[in-house]
Amino acid sequence: MRRRSLTVLMALSLLFVSACGDKPDLEGPVDEDLTVIGMCQVGAESDWRVANSESMKAIFTEENGYHLLFDDARQKQENQITAIRKFIQQQVDYIVLMPISEAGWDSVLQEAKEAGIPVILVDRRVDVEDQSLYAAHVGSDFLREGQRAATWIEQAFQEAEKPVRIIHIQGTLGSTAQLGRTAALEEALAAHENWELLVRLDGDFTQAKTYEVMTQYLSSLPGRGEIDVVYCENDNIAFGALQALEEQGYTCGRQGVNIITFDATRGALTECLNGRISLAVECNPLLGPLVEEVIQTMEAGRTPEKHHYVEEQIFTTENLSAALLERRNY
Ligand code: GZL
Ligand code: ZN
């Protein structure tokens, strides 16, 4: 039913648009049998994000029975909200949303609910009153990721009396990944009186922003600072921190400044293998198959589990090898 009206709607709008001579911004009429997915991606801020988008595009193909409308919000929530409203007008079958931050979704998700379009959350989460505003969530447990990193710091710095001096560089403020990874470090700082937070910087999950704020901070120190750990909330932050630290003459690795990172994309695992990064906590971006499982459950008229978590592990120089790196697909 929805698909037919979508085809008519698209055909009529093509007629209207071509009548006005503007370039039609809609793809051609959609084959009746395809499940139409309106997908709302954050942007392309990190290696993780690029791998996440590729995982989705590899699953939601016409051969697999889908018509994918993919929107890149370029890091702006208002672009995500505009895209959701467009998908509602186009009467897509499902909306798949990777929310940039947790706040500000109640009204637009209410509009999707009133239009009878199920919303599936991917990766980060939304903070809404009414949990029925989304059918399911597929992603990672970010608090658990951070707790794994904190446990590693405990084991790496056994001497309880020696100070552990930590720089904390956060990801996009208000995103679930930042909130979870930050909460884990905060609970560990509270539990270890010999751990000292030197500074907390906002790296916004990008290498450029981190390089800028880290260089600024290191240059403000009277001399070479005593830094034991830099807790980077994603790989691109770690790359920016590495660049700034080494430019200022610091040695990174188990004998110097211990870089901890999250995502464990190929670039970070390479630095872990060569010893510049001490710990890489995996955050699996390949969520396409899990999202498809949820959609197939709903297509079969069943109710999906509310939350689906992906399997993740940690990497250090001890458990990495070039062969393992070869086998990784992101
Ligand atoms: C985590 C995801 C984060 C990644 C960053 O699931 O939300 O956003 O850790 C990405 O690389 O930018
Ligand atoms: Zn402890």
Side-chain angles (χ1 to χ4, degrees):
M1 172 52 190
R2 257 207 299 267
R3 279 187 274 276
R4 219 182 328 283
S5 53
L6 176 68
T7 310
V8 169
L9 187 75
M10 282 177 147
L12 283 177
S13 48
L14 278 178
L15 277 178
F16 170 72
V17 165
S18 49
C20 322
D22 306 345
K23 192 174 75 59
D25 68 353
L26 290 173
E27 293 129 71
V30 171
D31 176 335
E32 297 280 290
D33 309 332
L34 296 178
T35 302
V36 183
I37 311 277
M39 187 167 286
C40 212
Q41 179 58 287
V42 169
E45 75 284 359
S46 68
D47 297 27
W48 186 97
R49 186 66 55 193
V50 170
N52 179 247
S53 296
E54 282 163 7
S55 164
M56 295 295 165
K57 290 174 181 173
I59 291 281
F60 295 107
T61 60
E62 308 241 332
E63 304 81 74
N64 289 346
Y66 300 96
H67 182 77
L68 178 62
L69 302 172
F70 185 89
D71 180 88
D72 174 333
R74 298 176 308 286
Q75 308 301 318
K76 289 195 175 8
Q77 180 174 30
E78 62 262 27
N79 292 346
Q80 293 199 300
I81 291 172
T82 304
I84 291 173
R85 292 200 164 115
K86 195 170 123 206
F87 292 149
I88 292 172
Q89 266 174 1
Q90 290 170 306
Q91 294 189 25
V92 298
D93 295 306
Y94 296 89
I95 289 173
V96 174
L97 170 64
M98 293 81 157
I100 181 164
S101 58
E102 294 206 344
W105 297 100
D106 296 86
S107 51
V108 75
L109 295 186
Q110 185 59 36
E111 291 166 36
K113 181 177 178 181
E114 280 154 18
I117 302 175
V119 173
I120 296 157
L121 297 179
V122 173
D123 178 27
R124 305 172 187 176
R125 297 171 64 159
V126 298
D127 178 12
V128 289
E129 287 303 308
D130 173 2
Q131 295 304 309
S132 75
L133 289 181
Y134 64 93
H137 162 256
V138 171
S140 298
D141 181 338
F142 302 111
L143 180 67
R144 197 161 126 69
E145 290 178 357
Q147 289 165 340
R148 285 183 161 147
T151 304
W152 182 87
I153 298 173
E154 276 179 7
Q155 289 159 356
F157 294 87
Q158 294 281 358
E159 309 82 44
E161 64 293 342
K162 264 186 70 183
V164 181
R165 288 148 303 206
I166 299 169
I167 291 178
H168 177 196
I169 311 179
Q170 295 180 294
T172 306
L173 299 180
S175 69
T176 317
Q178 176 270 310
L179 294 167
R181 292 167 186 164
T182 291
L185 181 60
E186 279 175 342
E187 71 185 21
L189 281 164
H192 298 86
E193 71 296 329
N194 60 315
W195 292 16
E196 184 193 337
L197 179 67
L198 296 175
V199 69
R200 178 163 285 151
L201 303 171
D202 175 3
D204 199 24
F205 285 139
T206 69
Q207 178 166 352
K209 179 81 189 299
T210 302
Y211 174 70
E212 180 200 321
V213 297
M214 188 63 163
T215 299
Q216 223 165 14
Y217 170 71
L218 295 174
S219 319
S220 74
L221 299 177
R224 180 84 44 83
E226 288 295 316
I227 305 167
D228 299 301
V229 173
V230 181
Y231 184 95
C232 303
E233 292 191 352
N234 88 327
D235 292 345
N236 300 81
I237 288 177
F239 302 152
L242 267 171
Q243 198 185 351
L245 283 158
E246 289 177 344
E247 263 179 22
Q248 306 263 340
Y250 291 83
T251 306
C252 295
R254 289 299 281 112
Q255 307 318 318
V257 179
N258 287 275
I259 304 279
I260 289 177
T261 189
F262 295 85
D263 287 350
T265 56
R266 185 183 308 283
L269 292 183
T270 306
E271 298 303 353
C272 205
L273 192 59
N274 68 30
R276 287 167 79 210
I277 287 181
S278 298
L279 173 74
V281 178
E282 183 182 26
C283 176
N284 188 340
L286 307 183
L287 302 175
L290 268 179
V291 176
E292 187 187 28
E293 221 176 275
V294 167
I295 287 176
Q296 285 308 314
T297 300
M298 298 176 79
E299 282 289 286
R302 295 195 309 276
T303 308
E305 293 289 311
K306 198 75 175 173
H307 292 287
H308 303 251
Y309 293 106
V310 280
E311 279 308 305
E312 297 172 341
Q313 56 182 307
I314 65 172
F315 296 101
T316 62
T317 27
E318 284 76 34
N319 72 349
L320 266 177
S321 68
L324 187 149
L325 212 46
E326 268 313 297
R327 287 199 304 275
R328 301 278 298 170
N329 36 28
Y330 65 91

